[in-house]
Amino acid sequence: MDTAAVPARGRKEPARARVYRELRDEVMTGLWSPFEPLTEERIADRMEVSRTPVRDALARLEADGLLVKRGSTLFVYTPSHSELTGLYELRITLERRGVERAIEDPTVKHDRAVLEPELHRWYSMREQPPAPDAGFVTHDEQFHVTLLRSAGNEQLVQALTTVNGRIRSVRMHDYLTEDRMAATIAEHVEIAELVLSGRLPAALQRLREHVGASQQVVMARAAQSLAMTRMARDHQEHHS
């Protein structure tokens, strides 16, 4: 969950957190056309805040990969199907390699001091599941990066971190339902337990299935996004 965007009980949510959360939800639910510029002044007037929290929110959304700058103006980012397919193929290759190299070379061991604390973090989430939230993608990314880092090749980790940044905007859609949240938590726990117990072939198979299931959800969301983009473009051309 995006804890920065969730107010503590009994405490008013800061304007910057509220604007980021609400604007992110608007972008992800398709309320903004890919051809409609997101301007500080317009958003600030509508949300009845100063331009400073809006500027901060737009910067965060751009860093999340949800917005892209064309010239000096921000628009909603919509990845192409081929781009997303290629990036997911690379993600799967990198993640599998972390386990495969340990299978191929018995001297390669996953670092328990790196992976065990991450597993216990997911035990806690299993005990107290967070509510569905797009910001949960950062927790998911941390698990996969930590799993790969524990295998000992930092170059693979850096490559995965780069890929994660490229696909984050669409992957956020994977954490908007309770069933996907529960599945993600359970699968992360199972994969980490298999790795730590030395059952690497089984861990590799579950990792393939886990990332594949996420890809199916993400690709379906991407198809919806592309369809919305085409509709917006057709509408714009019809009225121009």
Side-chain angles (χ1 to χ4, degrees), residues 11-30:
R11 185 184 305 169
K12 185 177 180 180
E13 184 177 17
R16 63 185 298 273
R18 177 179 65 83
V19 171
Y20 168 74
R21 175 178 53 79
E22 292 181 359
L23 196 55
R24 184 192 67 192
D25 290 346
E26 290 179 2
V27 169
M28 292 182 61
T29 53

Side-chain angles (χ1 to χ4, degrees), residues 199-215:
R199 298 165 61 191
L200 298 182
L204 181 60
Q205 178 61 30
R206 292 301 290 128
L207 183 61
R208 286 196 195 105
E209 294 169 352
H210 170 68
V211 178
S214 175
Q215 182 179 12

